Amino acid sequence: RKPELTAAVIAILKHTPSYGGHLASQVATLLNDILNHDPHVVHHVHESGIAQAFFDLVQGNIEYMTSDPRREMQGVNPPIVPPVPDLIMAIPNVLSALALTEDGAKALKEANPFPALVSLFYIPEYA
């Protein structure tokens, strides 16, 4: 619950294309471990914006990516999750951990990152 760590985690998640998928996979693993070890932290993760930053990563909702031409062609946000196996395998675990509380499950349902997650499986760069 240190503000410095919270800010660093959010920055990495929001700028994953710059930092790279391997660092993002380490952050996702850290989130998963912390959330599953202490479910009381789930509230803090949602309140601090970490959960939203993670949802944005999965859904391709990154502000500086709005000029991506793929966005116009597809009519949806393209995935920005780097094709790093450890990161892709960590995403479902983090989503599950973010839903450990009733409020967390509601936030996950509202964010609905599942279509974006499933889209990773039919995009050739992720094969």
Side-chain angles (χ1 to χ4, degrees), residues 32-111:
N32 182 48
D33 291 347
I34 290 172
L35 292 169
N36 281 305
H37 179 72
D38 184 6
H40 292 95
V41 177
V42 174
H43 177 73
H44 170 72
V45 169
H46 282 281
E47 290 291 317
S48 67
I50 294 173
Q52 188 59 52
F54 190 80
F55 296 149
D56 290 343
L57 169 66
V58 174
Q59 295 173 312
N61 296 333
I62 302 296
E63 290 177 19
Y64 69 90
M65 299 286 291
T66 56
S67 63
D68 190 327
R70 295 180 298 171
R71 181 183 304 269
E72 295 171 12
M73 293 184 330
Q74 297 174 353
V76 296
N77 294 342
I80 61 163
V81 175
V84 174
D86 289 340
L87 176 57
I88 293 170
M89 290 187 302
I91 290 172
N93 295 328
V94 174
L95 293 176
S96 174
L98 288 170
L100 287 173
T101 64
E102 186 176 342
D103 290 340
K106 287 178 185 175
L108 179 64
K109 183 178 179 183
E110 184 178 306

